Amino acid sequence: MDLTHYVRNIPDFPKPGIIFRDITPLLGTAEALQFALDTLTEQFDGTAIDYVAAIEARGFLFGVTLADRLNAGFVPIRKPGKLPGPSYRQNYALEYGSDGLEIHQDAFGGSGQKRVLLIDDVLATGGTASAAATLLAKAGGKLAGYGFVIELLALEGREQLPKAPVFSLITYS
Ligand code: AMP
């Protein structure tokens, strides 16, 4: 299945010059959503994973289901000020703007190094996923891999990421 048919390209959103890759058609089409989740699951089925961590908000849409399918726990990585417990914070640069991310300090239970799969919808410059990977390490997690729905190859975000296997469902040159 060619998943690019289920991604809508919206020019100049949220800023001039950005082509926003809108995955709502993919989410809204049962076969496409199943295919995306099946393919992500297959990719990481053979990897030992204790937790799936996903980035607010669109990463959550895939992360929880993937955690369930991989028999792993789920950990949210959220925008600043949303998590109620003691948290670590990391600031980062976006393709459009800058922001921060937070994780609960006790997200991985505190006993030994847990293997964590990091999930987000889009890998663009890599700033967001790098910040998330840094947070995972701060909280005692060991990065087992990255899964993205979309990767924008021209931005070379993959090169910025702390080393671990990267899998993207859809790539744009
Ligand atoms: P970056 O930190 O540059 O890798 O940007 C990745 C984050 O920004 C992801 O969480 C995406 O949700 C969002 N994002 C960046 N660029 C786009 C884009 N062209 N279309 C949709 N989302 C994007």
Side-chain angles (χ1 to χ4, degrees):
M1 180 181 274
D2 184 356
L3 286 177
T4 56
H5 295 310
Y6 302 94
V7 178
R8 194 163 50 157
N9 302 315
I10 304 193
D12 300 321
F13 183 88
K15 280 188 174 176
I18 301 293
I19 303 173
F20 192 86
R21 309 292 177 173
D22 174 27
I23 57 166
T24 57
L26 189 158
L27 293 167
T29 309
E31 311 85 82
L33 181 60
Q34 280 160 16
F35 181 80
L37 287 164
D38 288 348
T39 309
L40 279 167
T41 304
E42 279 163 24
Q43 188 63 31
F44 294 105
D45 238 352
T47 307
I49 289 164
D50 301 304
Y51 293 92
V52 172
I55 302 169
E56 186 177 3
R58 290 184 294 273
F60 291 0
L61 301 172
F62 297 88
V64 173
T65 302
L66 214 54
D68 178 60
R69 290 184 175 200
L70 294 171
N71 210 20
F74 176 78
V75 168
I77 296 178
R78 299 209 60 183
K79 303 282 166 62
K82 303 278 188 177
L83 289 169
S87 302
Y88 295 116
R89 175 166 183 163
Q90 186 72 29
N91 293 322
Y92 64 101
L94 269 179
E95 191 184 2
Y96 39 81
S98 72
D99 212 337
L101 288 174
E102 292 184 351
I103 193 170
H104 271 150
Q105 291 178 8
D106 64 355
F108 305 122
S111 63
Q113 277 228 311
K114 301 296 188 194
R115 293 154 302 194
V116 185
L117 172 63
L118 182 61
I119 297 292
D120 201 7
D121 65 329
V122 175
L123 174 62
T125 64
T128 308
S130 293
T134 303
L135 282 177
L136 295 186
K138 274 190 191 167
K142 184 175 173 1
L143 197 60
Y146 301 88
F148 300 99
V149 179
I150 292 172
E151 180 174 357
L152 309 180
L153 296 172
L155 296 171
E156 298 181 342
R158 197 180 263 257
E159 313 303 325
Q160 311 305 319
L161 302 177
K163 290 289 162 265
V166 180
F167 175 73
S168 306
L169 276 175
I170 307 167
T171 56
Y172 291 91
S173 52

